[in-house]
Amino acid sequence: MTGYSDESKQEFRRVAFALADAARSAILPHFRSSTLTTDNKLHDGFDPVTVADQAAEDAMREILAKERPDDAVLGEEFGALAGTSGLTWVLDPIDGTRGFMSGTPTWGVLIALSDEDGPMLGVIDQPYIGERFHGGFGVAECIGPHGTKRLETRPARDLSEATLFTTFPEVGTVAERDAFHRVAGKAQLTRYGMDCYAYALVAAGQVDLVIEAGLNAYDIQAPIAVVEAAGGIVTDWTGGPAHQGGCALAAANPDIHAQALALLQA
């Protein structure tokens, strides 16, 4: 991260914002549309995809082909494209397609710029609300209806006073679910179903923890960059790197992270 010039960092952020703008334009005409149709990517189970997911990723890839042709791309809908620069743009055009198809405004566009060590820059964009959370290269901000605000996570507090989020009540396998409920049983408040917006709320200082399982790299890399830029910490459930997916623990500060991690590992 320190090896890039200020001009390069500004250019990376400019491209990331251009991707988010393009995704907004591609997605919003389909949101809460009576004609929206959903396909299932799984034969056994339910993993929805809509024309909006595909259109948004297409739009972002088109920009990258022009603006950053040497960079690799990893996207949920269209897979991996090799590059030569050592940098990868990690794209989830709609994180929370289930929420999108249900009309809730807690889905988002996820964009990360990563190297071999993980994400350096991340964007969590909520097009319908008009909020853009971004973090990386020493900056953590939310740009939204009330202007631009600096992102800063919550200070340390006991788990008994904490708010915890996860997307799915079942939280992965039976063992992973049991581990999650050890933490939830100690937290003051547990909420469900927020998808990537929960990580944005950690970065914004509204909640303390997000615990999830069964993630892919494109689900977590942008949230890692945003939360860590705001002062938080994101690891897997062993305390190691989480950027390849799997289980993730996002925390507002090292103290609440340590409390939750001890229970996950109990």
Side-chain angles (χ1 to χ4, degrees):
M1 186 182 299
T2 57
Y4 297 103
S5 66
D6 289 342
E7 291 77 12
S8 293
K9 295 173 185 177
Q10 292 171 4
E11 174 66 6
F12 294 150
R13 190 172 289 109
R14 181 192 70 78
V15 172
F17 282 17
L19 299 180
D21 290 341
R24 280 189 181 191
S25 296
I27 292 169
L28 281 176
H30 301 284
F31 184 54
R32 295 182 180 172
S33 168
S34 61
T35 61
L36 180 71
T37 58
T38 304
D39 294 323
N40 185 8
K41 293 189 282 188
L42 296 180
H43 294 295
D44 183 16
F46 184 57
D47 186 11
V49 61
T50 71
V51 65
D53 297 77
Q54 296 165 335
E57 188 167 322
D58 267 335
M60 291 190 284
R61 285 176 179 264
E62 184 176 345
I63 290 172
L64 290 173
K66 295 177 181 177
E67 300 270 1
R68 305 288 306 178
D70 296 330
D71 296 346
V73 182
L74 173 64
E76 177 177 11
E77 303 307 331
F78 301 116
L81 176 67
T84 58
S85 67
L87 298 174
T88 301
W89 294 89
V90 184
L91 312 175
D92 190 345
I94 300 180
D95 181 82
T97 303
R98 292 169 179 82
F100 179 85
M101 61 182 281
S102 303
T104 66
T106 54
W107 51 276
V109 180
L110 299 183
I111 299 161
L113 177 63
S114 302
D115 63 12
E116 61 183 5
D117 296 321
M120 303 178 291
L121 174 68
V123 176
I124 303 172
D125 194 74
Q126 212 309 307
Y128 187 72
I129 297 174
E131 288 182 320
R132 180 167 298 169
F133 303 83
H134 69 98
F137 302 123
V139 177
E141 292 178 333
C142 175
I143 304 168
H146 299 293
T148 299
K149 295 183 178 180
R150 181 159 92 62
L151 295 173
E152 186 174 9
T153 57
R154 275 183 166 182
R157 66 189 63 205
D158 191 75
L159 183 58
S160 63
E161 301 174 332
T163 298
L164 164 66
F165 274 99
T166 195
T167 297
F168 301 112
E170 58 269 23
V171 198
T173 67
V174 172
E176 289 164 347
R177 188 182 319 155
D178 289 344
F180 169 81
H181 282 291
R182 285 196 294 273
V183 183
K186 299 291 186 181
Q188 183 177 67
L189 175 65
T190 301
R191 302 288 291 166
Y192 298 94
M194 296 294 286
D195 296 297
C196 62
Y197 201 75
Y199 296 96
L201 293 176
V202 173
Q206 297 296 304
V207 304
D208 303 277
L209 295 163
V210 179
I211 298 176
E212 296 196 294
L215 301 177
N216 293 289
Y218 47 74
D219 296 313
I220 193 61
Q221 291 208 13
I224 288 173
V226 175
V227 169
E228 291 188 345
I233 179 172
V234 185
T235 69
D236 66 12
W237 291 10
T238 72
H243 62 276
Q244 295 299 336
C247 295
L249 166 60
N253 53 74
D255 184 79
I256 199 75
H257 178 271
Q259 294 181 61
L261 188 63
L263 290 168
L264 289 173
Q265 296 178 345

